[in-house]
């Protein structure tokens, strides 16, 4: 810390702090952190699946939902080709699941395969519409929910 005596008549020493050493230390610390942070960060190695377009096999017990957003901002959900609201969707889903479990011999029967939900969502459908349908189907007890897409014409689709 340097002290400078001014040339005025008060003869008081100046008490300004010399910030140069402080700036030097901060720059050195910044450089150390810039070098050390990439070493500390760990990456988790993940191998993504190399899958080409898979053809969906539709079973008669699976549920097919079509979802789109209406012009007024509401959501339109269709069970096969009939329009349903959220309460009717939940009721139908519970009944469908109960009927399918009973058809296969009950909940404790060996090899019970639960039906899947296949969702076809319009490109312009708000996320809340699709999310609400997924949530309702999960409340009903469906464990497998999949999305149906259409590949571009004339080629295969590769998943990244």
């Amino acid at each position: 810390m340097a002290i400078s005596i001014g040339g005025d008549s008060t003869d008081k020493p100046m008490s300004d702090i010399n910030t140069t050493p402080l700036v030097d230390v901060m720059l050195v610390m910044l450089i150390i952190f810039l070098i050390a942070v990439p070493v500390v960060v760990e990456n988790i190695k993940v191998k993504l699946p190399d899958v080409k377009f898979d053809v969906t096999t539709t079973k008669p017990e699976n549920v097919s939902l079509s979802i789109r957003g209406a012009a007024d901002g509401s959501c339109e959900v269709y069970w096969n080709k009939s329009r349903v609201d959220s309460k009717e969707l939940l009721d139908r889903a519970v009944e469908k699941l109960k009927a399918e479990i009973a058809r296969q011999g009950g909940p404790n029967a060996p090899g019970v395969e639960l039906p899947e939900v296949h969702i076809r969502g319009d490109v312009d459908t708000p996320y809340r519409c699709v999310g609400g349908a997924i949530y309702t189907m999960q409340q009903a007890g469906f464990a497998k929910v999949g999305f149906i897409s259409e590949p571009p014409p004339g080629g295969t689709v590769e998943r990244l």
Side-chain angles (χ1 to χ4, degrees):
M1 188 155 106
I3 297 177
S4 172
I5 299 178
D8 58 354
S9 62
T10 59
D11 290 335
K12 288 186 179 178
M14 281 181 48
S15 60
D16 292 339
I17 296 175
N18 186 2
T19 58
T20 303
L22 177 66
V23 171
D24 290 344
V25 169
M26 295 303 287
L27 286 174
V28 168
M29 289 178 64
L30 177 67
I31 291 170
I32 289 173
F33 284 127
L34 286 174
I35 293 171
V37 167
V39 174
V40 175
V41 175
E42 294 181 16
N43 291 330
I44 297 174
K45 301 290 183 196
V46 176
K47 181 173 179 351
L48 298 176
D50 298 328
V51 179
K52 302 241 184 227
F53 177 73
D54 294 332
V55 178
T56 304
T57 55
T58 304
K59 300 176 186 173
E61 63 267 10
N62 291 343
V63 176
S64 177
L65 297 179
S66 298
I67 304 171
R68 68 179 180 187
D72 62 351
S74 63
C75 302
E76 295 178 354
V77 179
Y78 294 87
W79 181 293
N80 293 329
K81 292 186 179 182
S82 62
R83 186 172 176 184
V84 293
D85 61 359
S86 59
K87 179 164 179 13
E88 189 178 357
L89 178 64
L90 181 61
D91 293 342
R92 275 193 181 187
V94 169
E95 290 302 317
K96 172 75 173 178
L97 198 57
K98 283 181 183 178
E100 187 59 33
I101 290 173
R103 187 185 69 79
Q104 293 185 24
N108 295 328
V112 173
E113 290 188 26
L114 296 177
E116 301 174 4
V117 179
H118 295 171
I119 295 178
R120 296 175 189 271
D122 187 57
V123 174
D124 298 324
T125 303
Y127 291 121
R128 64 180 174 78
C129 296
V130 177
I134 292 172
Y135 180 72
T136 302
M137 296 308 283
Q138 286 177 340
Q139 276 185 322
F142 284 86
K144 294 182 180 179
V145 178
F147 295 97
I148 305 297
S149 62
E150 187 173 322
T156 60
V157 175
E158 291 187 22
R159 193 179 298 172
L160 301 176

